Amino acid sequence: MHFSHTTPAVPAALTIAEAAARLDAFTVVDVRTPGEYASGHLPGAHNVPLDRLDEASAALRAAAGRRPLLLVCASGARSAQGCARLADLGAPAATLEGGTGAWAAAGHPLERRAGARTPWPMDRQVRLAAGSLVVAGFLAGLALPAAHWLSGLIGAGLVFSGATGTCGMAALLARLPHNRPGRDALPFEETLARLTT
């Protein structure tokens, strides 16, 4: 277990084994898109997408006042970003190393609504979109050499994403309809209310 330098009472990261041993001691917050969340999440997790953390800061601070927060995403990258953002907002949180992918691979259950759609994880969506744009730029560049710049720009964006831990393409893809809440999803306001009680 790795501890944060600013708030020693809240671990910076939990392994799968540590989280499984005391999951009920945490308020679990899944920061993936609503579509990803619907495809399967840790038992009892609340869905607060990464791009809505600021909007949910008061509810998350209230929840953190009762029990420590554990942020979860597909791999741990977005939840680590969320932890950094919440620390700035006064709500310290831990991240789950390896995310829901590692949780499920270790044989732990995921909750999902019956009949829920299952979009691809965001990292896979980003790889498909980026790869498609690189191939399109390469092929278009055979007829129009200036089109090769598209491939170069996508490559530069991926380097920037890797260096900074942010991803503009993921932020754009998260707005697509298949990544938005389904009709039967819990309204965001209800999630916030549950976090404050």
Side-chain angles (χ1 to χ4, degrees), residues 2 18 45-46 58 62 64 72 79 84 86 96 117 132 145 147 177:
H2 313 291
E18 290 168 337
H46 302 277
V72 181
S79 57
L86 286 182
L96 179 64
R117 54 194 164 94
S132 298

Side-chain angles (χ1 to χ4, degrees), residues 13-184:
L14 284 138
T15 65
I16 298 299
E18 290 168 337
R22 54 191 199 115
L23 190 63
D24 58 350
F26 289 89
T27 298
V28 182
V29 178
D30 193 315
V31 298
R32 296 176 299 159
T33 66
E36 290 176 290
Y37 172 83
S39 70
H41 53 271
L42 268 68
H46 302 277
N47 185 216
V48 179
L50 186 61
D51 63 352
R52 299 190 82 175
L53 284 181
D54 286 0
E55 186 180 345
S57 62
L60 291 168
R61 276 193 302 273
R66 290 187 307 280
R67 292 192 299 183
L69 298 177
L70 176 63
L71 299 192
V72 181
C73 67
S75 66
R78 283 178 281 173
S79 57
Q81 291 175 25
C83 287
R85 182 66 192 132
L86 286 182
D88 292 342
L89 296 171
T95 184
L96 179 64
E97 293 178 352
T100 54
W103 178 267
H108 299 295
L110 293 175
E111 289 182 349
R112 62 176 54 90
R113 287 188 318 275
R117 54 194 164 94
T118 307
W120 288 353
M122 187 56 66
D123 62 328
R124 187 173 178 194
Q125 293 181 49
V126 168
R127 289 193 309 267
L128 176 67
S132 298
L133 289 170
V134 168
V135 168
F138 173 78
L139 293 176
L142 296 175
L144 181 63
H148 282 290
W149 282 101
L150 174 62
S151 298
L153 289 172
I154 296 301
L158 291 172
V159 169
F160 177 80
S161 175
T164 64
T166 62
C167 185
M169 186 175 289
L172 291 173
L173 291 171
R175 299 180 187 278
L176 293 177
H178 67 273
N179 285 320
R180 304 311 298 167
R183 290 186 188 141
D184 58 344

